[in-house]
Amino acid sequence: MAQSALEELRTRWQDALRSASPSGYAWDLLTAMVAPYRTPAVRSLYENFRATEVDTLVLRHRLGCSADVGGRTMGLTSEAFELLRRTALMKAEQLADSGAYA
């Protein structure tokens, strides 16, 4: 999967370089490519949260990235990354408390 994403990125490299954030462009490409292979739990998160919020959870809590590394990966500042992550955690807590998300 990663090799396929890198090959696709190679064909779009000039577009990535012209984007506001080449790393964010690459991250968007990768997440689009792996979407069909998401686990049911992750798929549920993407159905209930904004994609960027879920991406922060995946990067921080599944892949162990710091806010700085996760932010750079997504083309965000570490502060913006952390804000999205905290928002997602608050939403998850609210859903769990309401019984809507188990």
Side-chain angles (χ1 to χ4, degrees):
M1 184 67 59
Q3 183 65 36
S4 294
L6 288 173
E7 288 173 11
E8 183 65 24
L9 180 59
R10 182 182 53 80
T11 67
R12 299 181 187 195
W13 188 243
Q14 291 304 313
D15 293 333
L17 290 177
R18 285 190 288 270
S19 72
S21 170
S23 62
Y25 185 97
W27 176 255
D28 291 342
L29 180 63
L30 177 63
T31 57
M33 290 184 75
V34 301
Y37 305 100
R38 291 178 179 145
T39 64
V42 172
R43 195 173 304 117
S44 177
L45 286 172
Y46 277 98
E47 291 168 0
N48 288 287
F49 299 92
R50 294 184 339 202
T52 54
E53 293 169 341
V54 180
D55 289 349
T56 64
L57 296 176
V58 169
L59 285 165
R60 177 68 185 108
H61 300 285
R62 290 292 245 170
L63 300 177
C65 295
S66 67
D68 187 47
V69 171
R72 282 196 317 258
T73 300
M74 292 177 63
L76 304 170
T77 65
S78 59
E79 293 82 9
F81 178 91
E82 188 60 19
L83 179 62
L84 283 168
R85 187 188 70 82
R86 287 183 183 181
T87 300
L89 289 174
M90 286 188 324
K91 284 182 178 180
E93 188 174 299
Q94 290 169 348
L95 285 172
D97 288 346
S98 72
Y101 186 73

